[in-house]
Amino acid sequence: MTDVPVTVEARGSDFARLARKINQAGLLDRRPLYYTLRLSLVAVAFVGGWVAFVLVGDSWWTLLVAFASAVAFAQLALVAHDLAHRQVFRNRRPSEIAGRIAGNLFIGMGYGWWTDKHTRHHANPNHEDHDPDVSPAVIVWSVEQAERVKGLPRFVARRQAWLFFPLLTLEGWHLHVASFKALAKESMRQRGLEAALLVLHFVWFFGLIFTVLPFGKAVVFTLVHQAVFGVYLGCTFAPNHKGMPILTKEDELDFLRKQVLTSRNVRGGWIVDVALGGLNYQIEHHLFPNMPTPNLRKAKPIVMAHCAELGVDYLESGLISSYGQALRHLHEVGEPLRKVKARA
């Protein structure tokens, strides 16, 4: 049986009607067994990586351990993401406790800073003025931003499609630095605790590495570890919104269209689900941020049918294709600057 057409006897907003369907399907219910298993596996991988690091010891084979440990770091970051959205625990306090342990203490990423930033992103995805994820920094996301930037960002913007993945090797360091810089803001809750956990992270992280390895190998291990960590994280987030429409103050969209039209899903089965931590269901995640990850796959056909009923474009791509779309967008954004340089 089909739903009542939107123009006939439809009650409530387009999103409210979708939310009723999702609630009736029970897809916002907690999934404690799933998260118990997932947290256990990630914890085993995280601890196992450091046990392997100690056992391998002073050997260049330790760089393979660096790679594997960085993957565990990224998977823990994806769990911290779910904690921040209260997908794991319904209440704030356990979510914050677990989030600060996973984020600040274990991977050196400020939970408070990241949660604030990510909340603003969810409120206005791909909005030039309000989404911190598309603020012009080293990378620019629109032609208008490219025309305004100067110095290093302008140099990078000309060739940013080629530099995007190499720049991701620095993303891990950016997360660490931004986490510490955010501690200067008096508005941040639990600043003392956040600072103490961040410092403790780097004490154990560098202490362990430089105790087990001689200085040269320790430096190389750290660089490889953080490069892989940054690239992995960047690869989980890049397919979601990059290359999708950039909104400005001129755009007036309701909640459902704002979330769907700026997001992209990624096909690929359970391997992609695990690798991207469920963020491949980005449309469903943005519509229902507190929906547990395993339920996003079940919500997808409901959301797709609802969007089709409304005539709202719902974009889904393969993983490689999604990266291609993002890189083509970055290349097009930099084109005016390349033309200016060619004429100069």
Side-chain angles (χ1 to χ4, degrees):
M1 179 180 295
T2 58
D3 292 333
V4 177
V6 178
T7 54
V8 181
E9 298 181 13
R11 300 179 59 186
S13 70
D14 293 334
F15 175 72
R17 292 188 301 108
L18 173 61
R20 283 197 291 271
K21 297 175 186 177
I22 294 296
N23 271 308
Q24 289 168 2
L27 296 179
L28 294 179
D29 295 344
R30 302 302 93 187
R31 295 290 299 272
L33 292 178
Y34 165 83
Y35 277 109
T36 298
L37 178 60
R38 182 177 171 188
L39 285 166
S40 299
L41 292 174
V42 171
V44 168
F46 185 87
V47 174
W50 291 110
V51 171
F53 169 73
V54 173
L55 293 177
V56 171
D58 183 6
S59 165
W60 286 112
W61 289 107
T62 194
L63 297 185
L64 293 179
V65 179
F67 186 97
S69 177
V71 170
F73 262 55
Q75 282 290 323
L76 190 54
L78 293 172
V79 170
H81 166 272
D82 288 10
L83 287 164
H85 280 297
R86 299 192 201 175
Q87 295 177 19
V88 185
F89 305 108
R90 192 178 300 276
N91 297 323
R92 170 186 282 184
R93 183 168 177 76
S95 299
E96 289 185 345
I97 292 173
R100 288 192 175 101
I101 292 172
N104 295 56
L105 180 60
F106 288 160
I107 61 178
M109 181 181 71
Y111 177 82
W113 160 75
W114 185 85
T115 300
D116 173 72
K117 172 178 174 289
H118 196 62
T119 298
R120 288 184 284 129
H121 158 70
H122 266 266
N124 291 284
N126 268 24
H127 195 288
E128 199 170 66
D129 300 319
H130 303 302
D131 182 358
D133 287 356
V134 293
S135 296
V138 178
I139 297 289
V140 293
W141 307 102
S142 70
V143 172
E144 291 73 22
Q145 288 180 347
E147 291 172 345
R148 294 196 298 265
V149 295
K150 305 293 181 183
L152 178 61
R154 189 175 184 88
F155 172 82
V156 171
R158 296 191 187 104
R159 46 191 67 80
Q160 61 184 10
W162 297 98
L163 295 174
F164 180 70
F165 285 106
L167 285 171
L168 287 181
T169 61
L170 303 175
E171 180 62 19
W173 296 109
H174 166 257
L175 293 175
H176 302 320
V177 172
S179 297
F180 275 105
K181 287 175 64 176
L183 295 174
K185 298 180 180 179
E186 294 184 1
S187 59
M188 177 176 286
R189 299 176 62 252
Q190 301 288 331
R191 277 198 303 169
L193 177 59
E194 294 249 351
L197 291 174
L198 282 174
V199 170
L200 188 55
H201 165 79
F202 287 103
V203 167
W204 76 255
F205 181 78
F206 287 120
L208 181 59
I209 292 172
F210 282 85
T211 297
V212 172
L213 298 178
F215 184 82
K217 282 193 180 75
V219 170
V220 175
F221 179 95
T222 302
L223 292 176
V224 170
H225 184 281
Q226 289 298 296
V228 174
F229 176 50
V231 171
Y232 191 152
L233 276 186
C235 286
T236 63
F237 288 98
N240 303 336
H241 303 282
K242 310 314 179 196
M244 299 302 290
I246 300 293
L247 305 181
T248 69
K249 60 184 178 182
E250 307 300 327
D251 297 296
E252 297 183 5
L253 299 176
D254 64 359
F255 177 79
L256 183 143
R257 287 164 179 80
K258 180 167 59 175
Q259 303 298 336
V260 174
L261 296 177
T262 60
S263 302
R264 178 196 297 112
N265 274 17
V266 177
R267 293 188 296 268
W270 70 268
I271 294 177
V272 172
D273 287 4
V274 172
L276 301 188
L279 295 181
N280 45 312
Y281 301 105
Q282 190 67 194
I283 294 173
E284 289 72 28
H285 171 60
H286 260 257
L287 289 169
F288 303 96
N290 64 336
M291 180 182 291
T293 292
N295 291 349
L296 295 171
R297 176 177 55 83
K298 299 177 181 179
K300 175 184 167 182
I302 299 175
V303 174
M304 284 186 71
H306 191 75
C307 287
E309 174 190 330
L310 297 173
V312 175
D313 290 339
Y314 180 108
L315 180 60
E316 185 177 42
S317 302
L319 183 61
I320 302 303
S321 175
S322 71
Y323 292 136
Q325 292 170 45
L327 294 176
R328 281 193 296 273
H329 171 74
L330 292 178
H331 190 68
E332 291 168 1
V333 166
E335 184 175 3
L337 296 182
R338 293 192 296 275
K339 290 181 177 178
V340 169
K341 184 180 180 181
R343 290 196 299 266

